[in-house]
Amino acid sequence: MDATYNLNGGFKPTAKRSADIDGPDFFPTPAWATQALVDVEEFKGEIWECACGNGAMSEVLKRTGCDVYSSDLYDRGYGDTGIDFLTAKRQSNNIITNPPYNSAEGFVKAGLENAGEKVALLLRLAFLEGAGRNTSIFSKTPPSRVWVFSERITFYPLDAEIRGSGTTAYAWFIWDKAQTTAPELKWLPLGYKKKFK
């Protein structure tokens, strides 16, 4: 096992996300985290999962009855590969993904350019902070809704032993092009983590 996963004797898998900042950041999204999104947001028309990895999120989205197009820059055995979302010009009704940690701001920009209706990105809650993001994103195009997880998501590399608990707060950031009211802060209900293991 990679020693960086054990910090002071404790197993803290979420700390590893920053270690992949210069490489292919791949931490599949737990099914329950995607299910929480589709239970509170309605998506009409095609959904583009543009960092699909091994299809963990796409498979949950397909159960909504929507057409889901899946792509990724890297080949994880699922969807169309070699597609760089940050430069792609493909249009879709909706874009939903858990973007790579080191490209989140770029995914917001590309998502707003390529989505006709909604962009939903799974991001750290701390994404709300920062003078740079305030200037480049939030002062111009703030999210319509931020759905905060009441339960912590623990991200693991594929095939890692699942143990321990996450230490980082996450939220679904929604940009809804039909919404004209002020941004809303909401909380996802408890129970998803246990129900959708």
Side-chain angles (χ1 to χ4, degrees), residues 95-128:
I95 291 170
I96 303 175
T97 198
N98 173 5
Y101 174 82
N102 59 334
S103 302
E105 291 181 41
F107 268 68
V108 173
K109 182 178 183 294
L112 291 172
E113 290 173 356
N114 295 330
E117 297 180 21
K118 286 185 181 180
V119 177
L121 300 181
L122 181 58
L123 302 166
R124 295 186 304 170
L125 188 57
F127 190 77
L128 287 169

Side-chain angles (χ1 to χ4, degrees), residues 17-26 73-74 76 100-103:
R17 289 206 76 168
S18 61
D20 286 336
I21 203 159
D22 294 320
D25 183 8
F26 180 47
L73 180 59
Y74 299 96
R76 314 281 186 193
Y101 174 82
N102 59 334
S103 302

